[in-house]
Amino acid sequence: MTTQGTSVAGSGSTIGAIIAAMSCTACFPALASLASALGLGFLSEFESISIHYILPLFALIGLAANVIGGRRRRGWVRMVLGITGPLLVLAAALLMATYGMATEWLLYPGLVLMIVIAIWDLMAAKRTTNADIPAKPMS
């Protein structure tokens, strides 16, 4: 997987995890309110499938993308932060699905970390793209 591929997988998993979490109205009320405001209130019909399967799947995709990307770039701080977000989301989904615990204290920080890392990847990609463009000679 290329660096761009891991960035796309990480960003895609972030969006997928947020949308999956929006479907659980009783579990994550702040995200459910956002979903209703965006016209995605119908997602609540798929709450069980979303929490048991979709949210952990997107968390695992994000985890794998961050491990692969972090090992390739050798940025340990970015790799640790990139792994922590999906692990928190995965832990929240598994604790909720298994024990029915209220896990918004795990999910919200995990999603924030995933968003921060996705933005970090986009900024890093933009910097490397701009560095590859040769400067015009001044005449």
Side-chain angles (χ1 to χ4, degrees), residues 2 8 18 21 23 25 39 43 47 55 57 60 62 65 71-72 94 96 100 105 114 117 126-127 132 134 137:
T2 65
V8 169
I18 291 171
S23 69
T25 55
L43 290 175
E47 178 178 339
L55 186 60
L57 174 68
L60 286 173
R71 291 184 62 181
R72 182 168 293 132
L94 293 178
M96 175 160 303
W105 57 275
M114 289 177 75
I117 294 301
K126 190 173 184 178
R127 270 182 276 160
D132 294 339

Side-chain angles (χ1 to χ4, degrees), residues 49-71:
I49 293 170
S50 180
I51 294 301
H52 287 98
Y53 302 109
I54 297 172
L55 186 60
L57 174 68
F58 280 116
L60 286 173
I61 291 170
L63 183 63
N66 283 306
V67 167
I68 292 168
R71 291 184 62 181

Side-chain angles (χ1 to χ4, degrees):
M1 190 178 282
T2 65
T3 303
Q4 183 179 7
T6 57
S7 178
V8 169
S11 298
S13 68
T14 301
I15 294 168
I18 291 171
I19 291 174
M22 283 180 176
S23 69
C24 188
T25 55
C27 315
F28 312 116
L31 286 175
S33 299
L34 179 63
S36 294
L38 294 174
L40 299 174
F42 68 91
L43 290 175
S44 63
E45 296 175 26
F46 307 105
E47 178 178 339
S48 178
I49 293 170
S50 180
I51 294 301
H52 287 98
Y53 302 109
I54 297 172
L55 186 60
L57 174 68
F58 280 116
L60 286 173
I61 291 170
L63 183 63
N66 283 306
V67 167
I68 292 168
R71 291 184 62 181
R72 182 168 293 132
R73 286 188 279 266
R74 302 200 193 286
W76 291 105
V77 172
R78 191 242 167 261
M79 183 173 151
V80 168
L81 290 174
I83 291 171
T84 304
L87 280 178
L88 289 173
V89 171
L90 188 60
L94 293 178
L95 286 172
M96 175 160 303
T98 307
Y99 300 111
M101 294 175 60
T103 57
E104 59 271 349
W105 57 275
L106 280 173
L107 182 88
Y108 292 142
L111 289 176
V112 167
L113 270 174
M114 289 177 75
I115 291 168
V116 166
I117 294 301
I119 292 171
W120 187 343
D121 283 346
L122 290 172
M123 294 302 197
K126 190 173 184 178
R127 270 182 276 160
T128 57
T129 303
N130 289 342
D132 294 339
I133 300 172
K136 288 184 180 180
M138 305 275 291
S139 41

